[in-house]
Amino acid sequence: MPMPEWQDQAARRVCERNSSRAVIFDPTDHELFVVQARGFDWQLLQNGSVHRYRDRFGLDTASAHLADLDYVVHRLDAGSWLDVAAMHTALATALSFPGYYGRNLDALNECLGDVGRYSYGSDSSSAGTVLAIAGFDSLLDIDRPTALGGLDIFARHARLSGHAMLCLIETVRDDLGKVGGTDVLQASVAEFPPDPPEPFDESTIIEFGFQFYATADEADDLALRVESATAPILDEIGRYCTRVDLASERAGQSDERHSSSSRRRAPGQDLYEISIATRGVGDRNVLGERIFEAVTGFRLPFEQMSETPFGGPLLADALEKYPSLDQA
């Protein structure tokens, strides 16, 4: 699998970062500039220094990408702040402000200038400095002028700093206006958040099916291998049972080439469905991922995988196929 652009950019970054007025992106070196312009950080920096994410997943993912690009990332959670004083305390701790820090916006203005000069909370050998604030809506509810004032101060110093400075906030608000003369734009990440939990219990049987081109003997052997691959996982769930069947004509039993893998059926082989069903307690989303990883980890040449839950009136159908699962 090719390396993601943001990670490739991290591996190839060769900018000089030792000066307090170093060039963040160098347009005089075309090849280097092309590499930089493809980076995850450039997609943010070209549109400003303060960006908002609508959920914690986006904020955390963006922060991780920037950390991989050698940015110093300071993570804060405004959801735990009870007042503005808590904000200043958290900032002072995260950015290593001096003990005489005044806990007000004037003091923040002065200290953020020092961050830009690598005195506090930054490192000249890094790619830049990131302040990632989760739960920013809480601070807006406590004191909106102070919350936006802090962002404005950050944006103005980021614009004047000789190194990259980014402030990422988690908020559902889209009415923040301008900070440092620039709109606070909503940003995104390419990844999708994990699926929410989908628990199941004894009232549901989960069946995983795998299609293989095989002879009858090969199908029996593959069934044993599928069971060996998945047994350690299914033992944690409860009971399980394996079954081998010829795939139906509708499923492509007579196809010479499988539509999913383009693998050809060898002489003497048919399309078999090797199924393994489990009954117990678990999470469908987690279980499905683990089963897929286990079978692929054994390098078993299956054509495609299916997952079918049997609950309610359909439970009887599953028990007819897997009668051993009816026993406690």
Side-chain angles (χ1 to χ4, degrees):
M1 180 178 296
M3 183 181 295
E5 287 187 359
W6 56 266
Q7 194 171 5
D8 178 61
Q9 194 256 354
R12 300 171 60 186
R13 180 181 293 274
V14 292
C15 300
E16 290 290 340
R17 310 189 190 112
N18 295 326
S19 168
S20 63
R21 296 297 301 166
V23 176
I24 298 174
F25 293 100
D26 186 0
T28 64
D29 185 332
H30 178 72
E31 183 177 351
L32 174 61
F33 184 74
V34 169
V35 172
Q36 293 171 328
R38 292 173 178 168
F40 180 82
D41 53 346
W42 166 254
Q43 298 170 38
L44 296 172
L45 289 165
Q46 66 178 328
N47 293 316
S49 57
V50 181
H51 299 269
R52 55 187 171 89
Y53 292 86
R54 293 190 62 84
D55 52 46
R56 186 72 58 92
F57 175 81
L59 180 76
D60 290 345
T61 303
S63 299
H65 287 342
L66 292 167
D68 287 340
L69 286 170
D70 201 23
Y71 280 72
V72 176
V73 179
H74 303 284
R75 301 171 186 262
L76 302 174
D77 188 353
S80 63
W81 300 344
L82 300 179
D83 50 32
V84 171
M87 176 195 79
H88 286 293
T89 299
L91 287 170
T93 301
L95 296 170
S96 302
F97 287 167
Y100 53 81
Y101 171 64
R103 267 72 174 175
N104 55 55
L105 291 184
D106 288 338
L108 178 63
N109 181 49
E110 182 178 348
C111 285
L112 280 178
D114 290 334
V115 170
R117 291 185 288 271
Y118 305 114
S119 298
Y120 312 117
S122 54
D123 184 347
S124 62
S125 65
S126 71
T129 304
V130 177
L131 188 61
I133 308 177
F136 195 77
D137 288 337
S138 296
L139 182 58
L140 288 169
D141 291 337
I142 293 171
D143 189 332
R144 182 183 176 91
T146 296
L148 296 181
L151 295 182
D152 186 71
I153 291 170
F154 186 98
R156 293 182 185 280
H157 281 291
R159 188 175 61 194
L160 299 173
S161 174
H163 80 298
M165 293 177 63
L166 287 164
C167 182
L168 312 181
I169 59 174
E170 178 203 1
T171 176
V172 297
R173 311 286 178 86
D174 58 5
D175 60 347
L176 303 185
K178 296 181 182 294
V179 297
T182 304
D183 289 325
V184 180
L185 300 177
Q186 180 173 323
S188 62
V189 292
E191 297 83 355
F192 293 100
D195 293 326
E198 192 172 344
F200 65 89
D201 54 26
E202 290 278 347
S203 64
T204 303
I205 289 176
I206 309 296
E207 179 190 68
F208 298 97
F210 299 88
Q211 289 186 353
F212 292 89
Y213 279 133
T215 64
D217 289 341
E218 289 170 342
D220 290 337
D221 178 65
L222 286 166
L224 291 175
R225 294 168 65 188
V226 168
E227 186 170 311
S228 295
T230 58
I233 300 168
L234 298 178
D235 281 338
E236 300 173 11
I237 301 299
R239 308 179 301 286
Y240 60 89
C241 181
T242 306
R243 182 184 172 99
V244 179
D245 297 288
L246 276 173
S248 66
E249 291 288 341
R250 185 177 179 182
Q253 176 183 337
S254 60
D255 290 350
E256 292 295 327
R257 183 192 295 270
H258 200 280
S259 60
S260 294
S261 69
S262 296
R263 190 181 286 113
R264 287 188 176 277
R265 178 162 57 92
Q269 290 184 333
D270 290 299
L271 186 64
Y272 279 87
E273 185 93 15
I274 297 175
S275 305
I276 189 160
T278 185
R279 189 178 190 185
V281 178
D283 185 305
R284 266 193 67 190
N285 290 324
V286 174
L287 179 60
E289 291 178 3
R290 293 185 67 192
I291 292 295
F292 177 82
E293 292 172 358
V295 175
T296 54
F298 265 57
R299 300 185 182 279
L300 300 178
F302 65 91
E303 306 302 324
Q304 62 185 23
M305 171 182 162
S306 63
E307 178 183 337
T308 308
F310 294 89
L314 298 178
L315 182 62
D317 297 334
L319 291 175
E320 186 175 342
K321 291 178 65 177
Y322 304 99
S324 64
L325 296 182
D326 197 19
Q327 303 169 7

